[in-house]
Amino acid sequence: MDNKWIKVMLWTSGVLFALLLALSAALWLLLPAEKIISLAEQEISESTGRMCTIDGFGVSLWRGLALDLEGVELAAAEGEDVPYTARLEHLYLKMKLLPLLSKRIEVASLVIAGPEIFIVRDRGGKINLSSMIPEDRGTEPKAAADAADEEFSLLLRRVVLEDGVLHYHDLADSLRLTLAGIEGDLNMEPAGGGNSHPLDGSIKV
């Protein structure tokens, strides 16, 4: 798999983790459901630069923290001739609670069901998703990066993709392609108990 798209996938997962933490904090503060959804929509909108809407969600604390988001949609940017940039039917995330006491975010599984994404290349050659990818922070001072790493560590064990659809619209070459029935299962278990997290799994169309 191309490293660029792995980076996009991992960054998107990071956005979802930030959303999870925002929702968890809201729940502990006993906010109304409407307010929790509003916070989640705001978090994703600010992180992606696209207006986000969420139809509903469910939360369970049985054997860890489980979050189920329903009907998550990212609006298309102005001038894009597509119904939306991305939409998914369900996002289910299962996270362990005890590791949080040791400043570790340990996600057992992240299931993305029914995602549909529109990739649009305009006549100037620019891809619509490029504006959603954060700039490379390779020049960030080491001290600041180390301080951020010391706050929380993140472990994502498994990502499952179910019944995905990918549309590609190339306005420069008048080309339109659609890939449907995309299934994926990616694992990032630590190697030998160390800090290395090799990416292993498969994606099928």
Side-chain angles (χ1 to χ4, degrees):
M1 183 184 297
D2 189 277
N3 288 335
K4 178 180 178 181
W5 293 110
I6 293 177
K7 179 181 178 181
V8 172
M9 181 180 300
L10 295 179
W11 171 78
T12 303
S13 299
V15 172
L16 297 175
F17 298 141
L19 164 63
L20 172 64
L21 294 178
L23 284 173
S24 302
L27 286 173
W28 289 115
L29 293 174
L30 300 179
L31 293 177
E34 294 79 6
K35 182 63 175 178
I36 297 174
I37 291 179
S38 178
L39 286 173
E41 291 173 337
Q42 180 180 350
E43 177 72 24
I44 298 179
S45 297
E46 292 178 354
S47 298
T48 63
R50 304 294 174 100
M51 182 63 66
C52 172
T53 57
I54 300 174
D55 293 341
F57 79 100
V59 175
S60 172
L61 295 177
W62 177 250
R63 294 184 178 179
L65 177 60
L67 171 68
D68 185 8
L69 295 180
E70 179 182 359
V72 182
E73 181 176 310
L74 291 180
E78 184 176 355
E80 291 181 359
D81 187 22
V82 292
Y84 39 77
T85 297
R87 178 176 173 81
L88 59 87
E89 295 177 2
H90 281 276
L91 182 147
Y92 182 79
L93 190 150
K94 182 74 172 179
M95 188 177 84
K96 297 182 179 180
L97 291 176
L98 288 180
L100 292 175
L101 299 177
S102 302
K103 294 186 176 182
R104 290 187 296 113
I105 302 175
E106 186 170 335
V107 178
S109 63
L110 173 64
V111 180
I112 305 172
E116 184 177 17
I117 301 174
F118 284 86
I119 299 177
V120 180
R121 177 174 180 264
D122 64 22
R123 290 179 174 82
K126 183 178 180 180
I127 301 294
N128 63 332
L129 298 185
S130 62
S131 62
M132 299 170 56
I133 303 175
E135 296 181 359
D136 191 354
R137 300 173 61 186
T139 58
E140 182 180 8
K142 186 176 185 302
D146 290 343
D149 289 340
E150 289 177 359
E151 291 180 1
F152 275 94
S153 62
L154 174 63
L155 173 59
L156 173 60
R157 294 187 177 277
R158 187 184 184 195
V159 178
V160 177
L161 179 65
E162 299 178 348
D163 195 23
V165 179
L166 179 64
H167 304 276
Y168 177 70
H169 294 182
D170 192 327
L171 303 183
D173 296 331
S174 300
L175 175 66
R176 295 197 174 198
L177 297 174
T178 295
L179 298 177
I182 302 174
E183 306 281 340
D185 193 339
L186 302 174
N187 295 282
M188 296 178 62
E189 290 287 348
N195 293 324
S196 176
H197 298 80
L199 184 64
D200 181 38
S202 63
I203 295 180
K204 301 178 181 179
V205 180

